[in-house]
Amino acid sequence: MTQRPSSGARRPTLRDVARVAGVHPATASRALNAHTRDVVHADTVRRVEEAARALDYRPDQLARSLKTGRSGTIGVVLPDLTNPVFPPIVRGIEDGLVPAGYVPLIGNTDTDEEREQLVLDRLQGRQVDGIIVATAKRHHPRLLEIASAGVPVVLVNRVIDGNRLPSVSVNDASGILAVVDHLVGLGHRRIAHVAGPQDLSTGFGRYAGYRSGLESAGLDMDPDLVVFADSFSEAAGFRGATELLRRARPLSAIIAANDMLALGCLRALAGVGLSCPRDVSVVGFNDMPFVDRVSPALTTVRLPHYEVGTHAATLVLERIADPTGPVKALFLTPELVARDSTAPPPGLRRLGAGRTASTRRHSRVGAASTLPAEDAD
Amino acid sequence: MTQRPSSGARRPTLRDVARVAGVHPATASRALNAHTRDVVHADTVRRVEEAARALDYRPDQLARSLKTGRSGTIGVVLPDLTNPVFPPIVRGIEDGLVPAGYVPLIGNTDTDEEREQLVLDRLQGRQVDGIIVATAKRHHPRLLEIASAGVPVVLVNRVIDGNRLPSVSVNDASGILAVVDHLVGLGHRRIAHVAGPQDLSTGFGRYAGYRSGLESAGLDMDPDLVVFADSFSEAAGFRGATELLRRARPLSAIIAANDMLALGCLRALAGVGLSCPRDVSVVGFNDMPFVDRVSPALTTVRLPHYEVGTHAATLVLERIADPTGPVKALFLTPELVARDSTAPPPGLRRLGAGRTASTRRHSRVGAASTLPAEDAD
DNA sequence: CATCTCCTTGCAATCGTTGGCGGGGTAGAG
DNA sequence: CTCTACCCCGCCAACGATTGCAAGGAGATG
């Protein structure tokens, strides 16, 4: 008594194909399946294929999944898709997954614990064969739980403490180290840091990079030069930079823990009439689409977004194939991209002051969204 | 002989819950289902719920879908997710769908016919309950085919000729009309147009708006002032503007059919040493995230991305509920956002030349991607 | 010519859930 | 006390596909 949509005949099933081809459904199934095709006679295969084509038959993935136990879907958990770092990552994931017959199922958490639980519940309910997570916190029991229930979990961008889950990310500390070197090379000595949330590996690692960068440059750490942002958002960056300026210590450069924060810093500087890079240099992290188009074009640390996605896809597929294999943590090398937001500090502005070769590539066009995009990293 | 992932027990099924609760699986099903819960004794419901909680039972959506004929998924077909207009739309779609128990299944076509066919095949194979399409061309037989096979199809942003499918878009022509008014009000008379592909309703409608705008302003149409871009990409915008400048007619403003094209135009102007808006004004369309952050901040036509998404979700849900209802074509009103890329033409630059109140809102941070983002609209 | 073997195909069970149908038990009314 | 009615619940079948098992047939070999 299945009420089919009134319009037209119902979708053809495997039985229909079998009937037309004059064979048993099981035979039709085998004929259509690349893996089992060689068990059935070539002529029969042809007949079945013809019938399938004639009927415009499309196997029902749901039924297949139910039987095989594989849904062919991979959950992708993001803070917020409208944050510009994620689309390229998601594209990478999709492009890596689709050839293997999988499709991504995306869920946004808006950095809300509760919403994340709901998203994960939803994904598990839909029997995803694996989950790629961009919202991992350093301590994240639920993810470990899911993983130990047998569902492959792969982290992107962020890792969890202990590295017990496969992951694709960049070495945050070394990225920031390069930034400190760059700034010190330009002559900066009072370098501030708008740090990201410390419960995220990115915020934590970049702060660590900042400290060791200062140390190896022989600069000492002034607590007044560090503020902690509560999220990776432009608003938090604005607040952070404002606070730094309020403390009124001399300060010639700000390293923001990511591009969003950096944009907030730029806005804060402009708000009090300071010019970047003339008065204060600003550096971000991520090389999000479009930060090369804002003014001043942002000096930042480039992270290969798309490749992060494709690698994550590969990792999750590997893990599906062999759930007991070794846990791989893949670290891609970040790369400093010097643009126009960094320059020698005010005191040192003389002719030919050192400027590292700028690595301008990729010019892309993008634009901002309608929702608050928080918490990129 | 089902080979379960070695680690731990297999996922609990409804039968397990039923066994623990001491009832028949069917009863457990009814007890857990809000719709049928009232047929079951309250105590039994409680017992079943307890058992479900104890076992951490999660209904298998796949099995449910197979039985009920609804997959709970909606296909979303895009040109390219890394194009900044889409993330907000997708967020809108997701947010509109999830409360109703549906999830979006995203597919990118890269504006390639063949890939689009594959994406659609994939979606149909996964038994999506509806499809939201952002890649519609004015003539698009496959979509009509799918729709008449009983699958609700909703168009976003673009429509097809004849409006035979439900859609959410903006009135392209009236948006451009407002742009022409704005420019004419500033004193421009030689207004060029980098038109979008004419096989897309957006490109077509905006070109039409351009022509009627000139007409109602009493300006005559000079064919030399119009070039047709082959895609909605920055590269095409660059080529278009270059060509316009080569024709060397005097020209004081360029209306690009969308923001991507406009960014290409800006680049082309900069390339030949022309300043925007001093020498040439440039206008885009879409108000993509971030075009308020490039320099000069782009004057454009704002399109409520997120709302387009939520409305599309609503429309597709309506159509699932009543597939035979009337076909709704929803047109949201676009709104001119005057920023810094438009100013009076060179000849007219005098004090206090009229500048419409600028509608700066939303400042968002975004960034470009690693893939060529083509064909936004 | 008989028997063995291999290739091809059919049969039936199953994945986890839902929905129609009918039966047993209890309570209320006559 | 009996009949009717109603409430709950169990049984069976089915959604559409896959897969182990076994049987049928044809060809090869002794």
Side-chain angles (χ1 to χ4, degrees):
Chain A
M1 252 66 347
T2 333
Q3 281 288 6
R4 284 290 170 175
S6 50
S7 57
R10 74 182 204 306
R11 290 186 44 144
T13 106
L14 189 57
R15 313 175 75 92
D16 298 324
V17 175
R19 194 175 318 116
V20 171
V23 297
H24 192 273
T27 306
S29 167
R30 281 186 276 252
L32 260 22
N33 233 308
H35 207 64
T36 46
R37 198 196 312 282
D38 48 352
V39 196
V40 22
H41 193 84
D43 291 345
T44 312
V45 170
R46 205 171 312 122
R47 255 192 3 263
V48 172
E49 280 178 338
E50 262 170 39
R53 209 170 319 115
L55 295 179
D56 191 30
Y57 167 74
R58 252 175 265 279
D60 184 329
Q61 278 295 340
L62 264 51
R64 187 201 301 260
S65 297
L66 179 59
K67 177 62 180 165
T68 61
R70 286 171 297 106
S71 68
T73 58
I74 303 289
V76 177
V77 185
L78 306 173
D80 180 8
L81 183 63
T82 66
N83 183 308
V85 281
F86 292 116
I89 295 179
V90 172
R91 269 311 301 259
I93 292 175
E94 175 175 339
D95 290 353
L97 248 29
V98 165
Y102 288 83
V103 301
L105 217 54
I106 299 173
N108 295 277
T109 68
D110 289 325
T111 329
D112 178 317
E113 293 260 350
E114 203 174 334
R115 289 196 57 156
E116 181 181 79
Q117 297 297 337
L118 292 178
V119 168
L120 289 173
D121 286 350
R122 201 165 73 220
L123 293 177
Q124 289 197 277
R126 291 196 179 262
Q127 319 293 118
V128 292
D129 296 335
I131 304 188
I132 296 175
V133 181
T135 59
K137 306 172 81 155
R138 284 169 52 208
H139 175 67
H140 210 135
R142 173 86 193 259
L143 294 183
L144 291 170
E145 211 174 88
I146 294 177
S148 67
V151 179
V153 174
V154 172
L155 310 178
V156 286
N157 214 5
R158 303 174 180 175
V159 298
I160 63 173
D161 284 354
N163 270 8
R164 303 222 297 282
L165 293 176
S167 58
V168 184
S169 54
V170 300
N171 191 320
D172 293 297
S174 81
I176 293 289
L177 266 170
V179 171
V180 174
D181 277 359
H182 167 66
L183 290 172
V184 168
L186 288 172
H188 292 271
R189 305 195 56 79
R190 296 287 297 173
I191 301 172
H193 182 39
V194 177
Q198 295 297 298
D199 57 343
L200 306 178
S201 66
T202 46
F204 186 72
R206 291 170 200 172
Y207 178 43
Y210 167 74
R211 281 172 306 179
S212 65
L214 290 194
E215 185 173 8
S216 71
L219 302 174
D220 42 42
M221 242 300 280
D222 179 348
D224 277 356
L225 287 175
V226 177
V227 295
F228 294 91
D230 55 355
S231 76
F232 276 114
S233 65
E234 187 179 1
F238 181 88
R239 288 193 298 271
T242 303
E243 166 67 9
L244 284 174
L245 295 172
R246 189 192 62 73
R247 290 182 189 165
R249 299 274 166 163
L251 157 179
S252 69
I254 302 178
I255 300 177
N258 87 346
D259 290 345
M260 285 291 198
L261 292 170
L263 289 172
C265 292
L266 289 179
R267 194 185 287 283
L269 291 175
V272 300
L274 289 173
S275 150
C276 170
R278 179 175 304 273
D279 303 316
V280 178
S281 290
V282 172
V283 185
F285 200 111
N286 271 349
D287 195 18
M288 297 195 310
F290 279 86
V291 290
D292 54 340
R293 298 293 292 253
V294 306
S295 66
L298 194 66
T299 293
T300 185
V301 175
R302 170 155 170 72
L303 175 155
H305 310 282
Y306 182 80
E307 288 74 16
V308 165
T310 55
H311 281 115
T314 306
L315 242 51
V316 81
L317 292 175
E318 277 181 20
R319 206 134 186 93
I320 288 173
D322 176 13
T324 63
V327 171
K328 293 188 189 170
L330 188 55
F331 287 91
L332 305 180
T333 329
E335 177 190 346
L336 180 72
V337 184
R339 296 205 182 92
D340 306 334
S341 68
T342 47
L348 287 187
R349 201 162 304 117
R350 49 184 171 234
L351 249 102
R355 186 69 192 299
T356 75
S358 117
T359 322
R360 283 168 221 274
R361 355 151 126 184
H362 319 282
S363 47
R364 299 296 309 306
V365 181
S369 110
T370 216
L371 283 180
E374 302 257 322
D375 230 21
D377 291 41
Chain B
M1 247 65 343
T2 334
Q3 282 287 8
R4 285 291 170 176
S6 52
S7 55
R10 74 184 203 305
R11 290 186 44 145
T13 108
L14 190 57
R15 314 174 75 93
D16 298 325
V17 175
R19 194 175 318 119
V20 170
V23 297
H24 191 273
T27 306
S29 167
R30 283 185 276 253
L32 261 20
N33 233 309
H35 206 65
T36 46
R37 198 196 311 282
D38 48 353
V39 201
V40 174
H41 191 85
D43 292 344
T44 312
V45 170
R46 205 170 313 124
R47 252 185 14 255
V48 171
E49 281 177 337
E50 262 171 40
R53 209 170 321 115
L55 296 179
D56 191 28
Y57 168 73
R58 252 175 264 278
D60 185 330
Q61 278 294 340
L62 263 51
R64 184 196 303 246
S65 298
L66 177 60
K67 179 64 180 162
T68 62
R70 286 170 297 104
S71 67
T73 58
I74 303 290
V76 177
V77 185
L78 306 173
D80 180 8
L81 183 63
T82 65
N83 184 308
V85 279
F86 292 116
I89 295 180
V90 172
R91 269 310 302 261
I93 292 175
E94 175 174 339
D95 291 353
L97 249 28
V98 165
Y102 288 83
V103 302
L105 217 52
I106 299 174
N108 295 276
T109 69
D110 289 325
T111 330
D112 178 317
E113 294 261 351
E114 201 174 335
R115 288 195 57 158
E116 181 181 80
Q117 297 298 336
L118 292 178
V119 168
L120 290 172
D121 286 349
R122 201 165 72 218
L123 293 176
Q124 288 197 277
R126 291 196 179 264
Q127 318 293 121
V128 292
D129 296 335
I131 304 188
I132 296 176
V133 181
T135 58
K137 305 172 82 153
R138 284 169 52 208
H139 175 68
H140 211 134
R142 172 85 192 259
L143 294 182
L144 291 170
E145 212 173 89
I146 294 176
S148 68
V151 180
V153 174
V154 172
L155 309 179
V156 287
N157 215 4
R158 303 173 180 176
V159 298
I160 62 173
D161 283 353
N163 271 7
R164 303 221 297 282
L165 292 176
S167 58
V168 184
S169 54
V170 299
N171 192 321
D172 294 296
S174 81
I176 294 289
L177 267 171
V179 171
V180 174
D181 278 359
H182 167 67
L183 291 172
V184 168
L186 288 171
H188 292 271
R189 304 196 57 80
R190 295 288 297 174
I191 302 172
H193 182 40
V194 177
Q198 296 297 299
D199 56 343
L200 305 179
S201 66
T202 46
F204 186 73
R206 291 169 199 173
Y207 178 43
Y210 167 75
R211 281 172 306 179
S212 66
L214 290 194
E215 185 174 6
S216 71
L219 301 174
D220 42 42
M221 241 305 277
D222 180 347
D224 276 357
L225 287 175
V226 177
V227 295
F228 294 91
D230 54 355
S231 75
F232 276 114
S233 65
E234 187 179 1
F238 182 88
R239 288 192 299 270
T242 304
E243 167 66 11
L244 284 173
L245 295 172
R246 191 192 62 75
R247 290 183 190 165
R249 300 273 164 165
L251 157 178
S252 69
I254 302 178
I255 300 176
N258 87 345
D259 289 345
M260 286 290 199
L261 292 171
L263 289 172
C265 293
L266 289 178
R267 196 185 286 284
L269 291 175
V272 299
L274 289 173
S275 150
C276 170
R278 180 174 304 271
D279 302 315
V280 178
S281 289
V282 172
V283 186
F285 200 111
N286 270 349
D287 195 18
M288 297 195 309
F290 279 84
V291 289
D292 56 339
R293 297 294 292 254
V294 306
S295 65
L298 194 67
T299 293
T300 185
V301 175
R302 171 158 170 72
L303 174 156
H305 310 282
Y306 182 80
E307 289 74 16
V308 165
T310 54
H311 282 115
T314 307
L315 241 52
V316 82
L317 292 175
E318 277 181 21
R319 205 133 185 94
I320 287 172
D322 176 13
T324 63
V327 171
K328 294 188 189 171
L330 188 55
F331 288 90
L332 305 180
T333 330
E335 177 191 345
L336 180 72
V337 183
R339 296 205 182 92
D340 305 335
S341 68
T342 47
L348 286 187
R349 201 162 305 118
R350 48 183 173 239
L351 249 101
R355 184 69 192 299
T356 74
S358 117
T359 322
R360 285 166 217 272
R361 355 150 124 185
H362 316 283
S363 47
R364 301 297 308 307
V365 182
S369 108
T370 216
L371 284 180
E374 304 255 323
D375 231 20
D377 290 38

